Amino acid sequence: MEREIKPLNLFNSSREFYTTLDRVSNPMTYEGYAAWFKEFEKYIEENKKDEARLAALSHILDVTGNLAEGTPFTGMFAGSLFDGIGGFINSLGRRDKELKEKSLKMFKLTTAVSQFTHDKDLIETEWKAITKSLDELKELQDQAMEKNIVEILGINRADFKRNFTDETDAKKRTEYILKISKIAENKIAEEKAKNPENWKQDYYNEMVAVQNLKIRFGTLTFRIMENLDKYKTLINKYKNDENLKDRVAQLDLKLDLVRNSFESTFNPQDYIKASNEMYIVE
């Protein structure tokens, strides 16, 4: 059960963290913003025929669609949005004092969210590289499984998946591993009888290849931990922002859950140490 529960906890804590992260990055989820934005959109529609920049912003908004679904307020879109909001605020007279104050507040929120999203995106770029490395390791693992489990030991991959990878009963998994160990023991005995002088070399090469895969995975978990720590830096940067601080505080709690769950499931130092000590040397 320990094997199954830990990854499940990690998945749940990660999902909650990224849901909160998305809410920080979407101004439409902040109180009063959606209602104010409708006033801003009226201004755009009424003036876009006379101002090219507002016409361009109107086009971007049409292409973007429903901003409530989480369209990032960054890049060219953010620049056009800032210009438009600035023009909107400048167009408001004394009679619109309340709307002007509200608009100034929402402008600050928009700029804070936009910069936060930009900083967040820099962190998330690293996840693409990490995912690529994980995919490469998965391919190498499949090759190692095919070589060792199928070719050398003659075990069907589907049987292995059913009896080990997908098996949730720890007792049955242990029994299956013991069965494989016996097959491996018999295979080694055959090889020693055929080639008593040099039988170890091929097995040694395969064992080192597997060990290197485990070490590479452990190193990759270090990269994951380092990237999670970048979110801590992001949180510290915005924790005192008047517009974001409440949600950033929630994000901080969620990040601690993700980090603790990940470290208890894949402790990088323990994983690499275990990889280096996985074989008994005689």
Side-chain angles (χ1 to χ4, degrees):
M1 288 298 294
E2 186 78 353
R3 171 180 167 270
E4 308 302 326
I5 290 173
K6 283 187 175 181
L8 181 61
N9 287 340
L10 177 59
F11 170 74
N12 288 334
S13 60
S14 299
R15 181 174 57 188
E16 291 176 7
F17 172 73
Y18 280 104
T19 298
T20 306
L21 189 64
D22 288 341
R23 284 180 58 80
V24 177
S25 302
N26 186 358
M28 287 295 179
T29 63
Y30 288 78
E31 184 179 357
Y33 194 91
W36 167 82
F37 201 83
K38 289 180 180 178
E39 295 292 330
F40 174 50
E41 285 182 312
K42 289 180 184 177
Y43 164 77
I44 296 173
E45 289 302 306
E46 291 171 358
N47 295 276
K48 67 181 183 180
K49 292 181 180 179
D50 301 320
E51 293 190 46
R53 62 195 177 95
L54 291 180
L57 178 56
S58 177
H59 174 70
I60 294 173
L61 289 172
D62 288 341
V63 172
T64 301
N66 187 1
L67 295 178
E69 293 181 357
T71 300
F73 280 41
T74 56
M76 291 289 292
F77 175 58
S80 298
L81 198 61
F82 295 159
D83 286 343
I85 296 174
F88 176 48
I89 292 172
N90 291 334
S91 73
L92 298 172
R94 292 182 179 179
R95 294 180 180 179
D96 302 308
K97 181 180 179 182
E98 185 177 340
L99 179 57
K100 190 168 187 175
E101 289 178 354
K102 181 75 171 178
S103 298
L104 285 169
K105 182 180 179 181
M106 295 301 144
F107 196 11
K108 289 180 181 178
L109 172 60
T110 305
T111 54
V113 166
S114 178
Q115 187 59 45
F116 177 90
T117 303
H118 171 74
D119 293 342
K120 171 184 71 75
D121 288 347
L122 292 177
I123 297 172
E124 295 186 345
T125 298
E126 176 65 10
W127 289 127
K128 294 179 181 179
I130 289 173
T131 300
K132 182 180 179 181
S133 295
L134 281 171
D135 289 341
E136 291 172 353
L137 283 181
K138 185 178 184 302
E139 185 176 345
L140 291 172
Q141 176 186 265
D142 286 341
Q143 292 173 8
M145 289 284 290
E146 190 68 22
K147 177 69 175 178
N148 289 277
I149 298 296
V150 179
E151 293 182 23
I152 296 179
L153 299 182
I155 297 169
N156 184 277
R157 285 287 293 271
D159 289 343
F160 183 87
K161 185 175 186 299
R162 182 178 63 257
N163 293 300
F164 181 78
T165 306
D166 296 338
E167 179 57 65
T168 57
D169 188 315
K171 183 179 179 182
K172 290 181 180 179
R173 282 166 54 86
T174 300
E175 290 173 351
Y176 186 68
I177 286 298
L178 291 174
K179 179 181 177 182
I180 291 179
S181 297
K182 188 62 178 177
I183 293 173
E185 184 181 335
N186 293 336
K187 183 67 178 179
I188 290 173
E190 290 177 15
E191 292 298 318
K192 287 177 72 174
K194 291 181 192 176
N195 187 7
E197 296 296 327
N198 300 309
W199 69 272
K200 289 184 179 181
Q201 189 60 51
D202 289 341
Y203 291 112
Y204 173 79
N205 292 340
E206 292 302 324
M207 291 168 70
V208 169
V210 171
Q211 185 179 43
N212 286 338
L213 279 178
K214 289 177 68 68
I215 292 172
R216 282 182 61 182
F217 180 77
T219 302
L220 195 57
T221 61
F222 266 119
R223 285 177 62 187
I224 293 173
M225 290 290 287
E226 288 172 355
N227 220 40
L228 288 175
D229 287 341
K230 291 178 184 177
Y231 284 116
K232 194 72 172 180
T233 302
L234 178 70
I235 288 168
N236 289 336
K237 181 176 179 179
Y238 291 94
K239 67 180 180 181
N240 294 320
D241 184 277
E242 60 179 321
N243 298 291
L244 309 184
K245 61 183 180 181
D246 290 342
R247 292 193 180 185
V248 167
Q250 296 175 20
L251 191 64
D252 197 15
L253 294 174
K254 298 291 193 304
L255 178 62
D256 286 342
L257 290 175
V258 173
R259 200 181 188 287
N260 292 338
S261 184
F262 181 83
E263 191 167 16
S264 64
T265 307
F266 302 110
N267 185 294
Q269 291 180 331
D270 289 348
Y271 197 92
I272 291 176
K273 183 175 183 292
S275 300
N276 285 322
E277 298 173 353
M278 65 185 293
Y279 300 133
I280 299 173
V281 180
E282 293 183 354

